[in-house]
Amino acid sequence: MKISKKVWFDAIGVGLFTLVYSLIMGGLSLWMGAAAFIAVSYFFGAGFPKDKLWNILASFALGIIWGLVAFRLLQVPSIAPLWPSAIMFGLLTFLALFLQGTILKFTIVPAWLIAWGTTMLIITNVAVHNWSLFVIQLYGSMLLGIFVIGYASDIFNRIMFRFFPERKQDGTEEMHKEELE
């Protein structure tokens, strides 16, 4: 089985920069590493859309806000039971999609919902003592995931293809299509 250079370069780059990311997170005592992996996984899964980076980052920020709002609403005794909380989640989801379709067209709903879910997952399982610090760390972890794992591995990939271009069947060298972009 022949393994393509793209597979090798992607695997080495993402693995290498996951290691770098882990050292940064450990060195800064950031504990939300999973948020970075969720964010960069969305970014890779969406096809690494560099032209939509700011839309995705804005959507992540709105998702964090949505998570904080939902969590706060769940603290209200009359909203906490099953039916009221289900209605609240339905209304917040409706509102996110409605806002994206009207006045916040720059947002990307899947990124918004992923950040909302990530926020809810963390704050319903960990006691938060400093909300401002929590939000900064969560958003910072998401940014680090995209930039340290995502962009750094992409740069690594491009460098590797410059040094080791693909070879065509006829033996001539061909740049990988991502290298040309």
Side-chain angles (χ1 to χ4, degrees):
M1 171 171 77
K2 182 171 180 351
I3 301 171
S4 73
K5 288 181 183 179
K6 178 163 178 29
V7 170
W8 279 108
F9 297 160
D10 284 344
I12 292 168
V14 172
L16 175 66
F17 289 100
T18 297
L19 180 147
V20 170
Y21 162 79
S22 297
L23 292 172
I24 292 169
M25 293 296 286
L28 296 176
S29 298
L30 298 174
W31 53 273
M32 288 185 250
F37 288 106
I38 292 167
V40 76
S41 295
Y42 170 78
F43 201 64
F44 282 140
F48 207 80
K50 294 175 186 173
D51 60 325
K52 301 275 187 212
L53 173 66
W54 299 109
N55 306 76
I56 291 169
L57 295 180
S59 301
F60 283 165
L62 287 169
I64 292 169
I65 292 167
W66 240 235
L68 297 172
V69 168
F71 182 74
R72 178 65 186 114
L73 289 172
L74 288 172
Q75 306 312 304
V76 176
S78 61
I79 296 177
L82 177 62
W83 276 99
S85 65
I87 292 168
M88 180 266 304
F89 280 117
L91 288 173
L92 283 174
T93 303
F94 164 82
L95 189 56
L97 274 72
F98 183 79
L99 289 171
Q100 189 280 327
T102 56
I103 61 173
L104 299 175
K105 290 183 182 278
F106 61 90
T107 61
I108 300 172
V109 169
W112 188 333
L113 298 180
I114 284 170
W116 177 14
T118 302
T119 303
M120 290 297 299
L121 180 64
I122 294 170
I123 61 181
T124 56
N125 287 293
V126 175
V128 177
H129 303 291
N130 184 333
W131 288 97
S132 299
L133 182 60
F134 167 79
V135 169
I136 291 167
Q137 285 184 328
L138 177 57
Y139 195 63
S141 294
M142 291 175 155
L143 291 174
L144 283 172
I146 288 176
F147 288 105
V148 174
I149 298 172
Y151 272 89
S153 64
D154 183 60
I155 292 167
F156 172 83
N157 200 316
R158 290 173 185 276
I159 291 169
M160 294 305 290
F161 272 109
R162 285 206 193 271
F163 285 114
F164 306 102
E166 294 277 20
R167 300 212 188 271
K168 290 183 180 180
Q169 294 284 347
D170 62 8
T172 61
E173 292 182 351
E174 174 184 30
M175 293 300 239
H176 198 265
K177 86 174 189 179
E178 283 87 15
E179 181 60 30
L180 300 173
E181 295 173 352

